[in-house]
Amino acid sequence: MKKRKKILSAVIIIILISIVLGILFITNVKSSIQNVEVCHGADLKDIVLVSVSGEEEYFNEDCFVFYMSDTCSPCIEKLELIERLSQLKCLQQINIYCVWKDEMPKEAQEGDIVTNLSLKGKYKFCDFFPFYFCYEGGKVSFMTEDYHKLIKKIMEKADENKVKMDLFYTLLKQSDIEHTCIIFVAGNDNHFDDYKKIQTNGITFTNIIQVKDYRDGIGIYDEFDLYKTVFDITDYPSVLYYDGELKVEAMEGLQ
């Protein structure tokens, strides 16, 4: 009996020591993470980033930053948005940094304007993901939790009209620009079947491309509100078309 008590006591002591050591280890790891305040005017030139190839990099150029974590589902989803932005010709002169708190996920892809970098758990910009900011002239110039606002900032940098035209052509693909229009439809619109032909300002559009705020397998699903944000769609249904310039009109205002 005494032997059993001694063994039990030894086990309890070992468990307690393990718990204490674990707490000390976690505390030490946390204390080694440097909190960096990303605020307006912040200088990040001393932050060490690690590239895909393992080389050290720094914030030494103007860029739009997506601060993300590989364990954050919304962050992984935003990679598709980044891919779409990177395909626009007018954005080829900007830099998009995907800065990962720890490891880079396998879904992260390098591109002409996209660079994946890791903080390797040594720095922390904030307590939530994703987070977005602009780094210009060696300083943080803008930060937000709303990616729609970041898209607007990117448009300002690249030329808003060029972004709109590029995105418009991605919707048209090979369609005839003179006879094609884009109609933006919301989930509460039950009359799209009536939109076989649209006329406005003496122009007749017979090829109609649907962009929807919901997924039903028909038309184009505006998953990230990218089209809505870029084209400033506020009313549904609305029509986007080209008549010397891009125009957006609410359906009820069409003649």
Side-chain angles (χ1 to χ4, degrees):
M1 182 65 71
K2 288 183 179 181
K3 187 176 181 180
R4 286 185 178 178
K5 286 184 178 180
K6 286 182 179 180
I7 294 173
L8 181 59
S9 298
V11 170
I12 292 174
I13 291 172
I14 291 172
I15 292 174
L16 290 173
I17 291 174
S18 299
I19 292 173
V20 171
L21 290 174
I23 293 173
L24 290 174
F25 175 76
I26 293 172
T27 302
N28 183 59
V29 169
K30 287 186 176 181
S31 64
S32 66
I33 299 176
Q34 183 178 340
N35 289 309
V36 178
E37 184 178 6
V38 177
C39 59
H40 193 275
D43 185 345
L44 305 179
K45 69 177 184 299
D46 294 328
I47 302 298
V48 181
L49 304 161
V50 180
S51 69
V52 173
S53 61
E55 298 178 357
E56 289 189 355
E57 301 285 349
Y58 297 87
F59 285 102
N60 55 13
E61 60 185 351
D62 291 355
C63 57
F64 295 94
V65 180
F66 286 66
Y67 175 54
M68 303 189 287
S69 170
D70 64 321
T71 60
C72 163
S73 296
C75 295
I76 304 300
E77 292 171 0
K78 293 300 181 297
L79 292 175
E80 175 63 27
L81 171 62
I82 294 170
E83 173 64 19
R84 293 186 191 181
L85 291 173
S86 70
Q87 292 174 356
L88 298 179
K89 293 181 180 179
C90 65
L91 299 185
Q92 297 308 302
Q93 302 305 313
I94 71 169
N95 300 301
I96 293 179
Y97 281 12
C98 295
V99 177
W100 301 91
K101 178 178 176 292
D102 293 298
E103 298 303 317
M104 301 179 201
K106 61 182 180 180
E107 295 90 345
Q109 299 292 322
E110 295 282 285
D112 292 335
I113 68 170
V114 181
T115 303
N116 283 280
L117 300 161
S118 174
L119 296 172
K120 289 296 182 181
K122 295 181 179 180
Y123 305 93
K124 184 172 71 173
F125 288 160
C126 59
D127 294 320
F128 51 87
F129 307 95
F131 178 68
Y132 317 96
F133 63 92
C134 304
Y135 195 70
E136 299 178 286
K139 305 286 183 182
V140 174
S141 61
F142 170 82
M143 54 268 182
T144 182
E145 300 172 42
D146 185 349
Y147 69 88
H148 301 93
K149 293 181 179 179
L150 184 73
I151 291 173
K152 286 294 188 182
K153 280 293 179 181
I154 292 175
M155 291 176 67
E156 290 176 13
K157 182 76 172 180
D159 186 312
E160 184 173 334
N161 290 328
K162 289 182 178 179
V163 175
K164 288 183 177 182
M165 283 305 302
D166 273 5
L167 197 59
F168 182 65
Y169 279 117
T170 65
L171 287 169
L172 288 185
K173 295 183 178 179
Q174 302 300 318
S175 299
D176 179 2
I177 192 172
E178 293 184 0
H179 300 98
T180 303
C181 70
I182 315 297
I183 184 167
F184 292 86
V185 186
N188 58 359
D189 182 7
N190 299 316
H191 305 289
F192 182 77
D193 287 339
D194 298 330
Y195 309 147
K196 302 297 184 182
K197 181 171 66 175
I198 293 176
Q199 292 181 321
T200 180
N201 295 328
I203 306 172
T204 299
F205 298 104
T206 53
N207 183 32
I208 300 171
I209 298 173
Q210 310 172 41
V211 174
K212 300 182 177 182
D213 69 349
Y214 61 98
R215 192 196 302 273
D216 68 351
I218 302 173
I220 299 170
Y221 171 47
D222 195 3
E223 184 175 2
F224 302 103
D225 294 331
L226 177 60
Y227 304 113
K228 175 183 178 181
T229 301
V230 170
F231 297 118
D232 298 311
I233 304 301
T234 56
D235 299 306
Y236 289 92
S238 284
V239 176
L240 170 69
Y241 63 96
Y242 185 79
D243 182 20
E245 61 180 0
L246 284 178
K247 296 181 179 180
V248 175
E249 295 185 39
M251 283 293 294
E252 61 183 8
L254 296 183
Q255 301 297 322

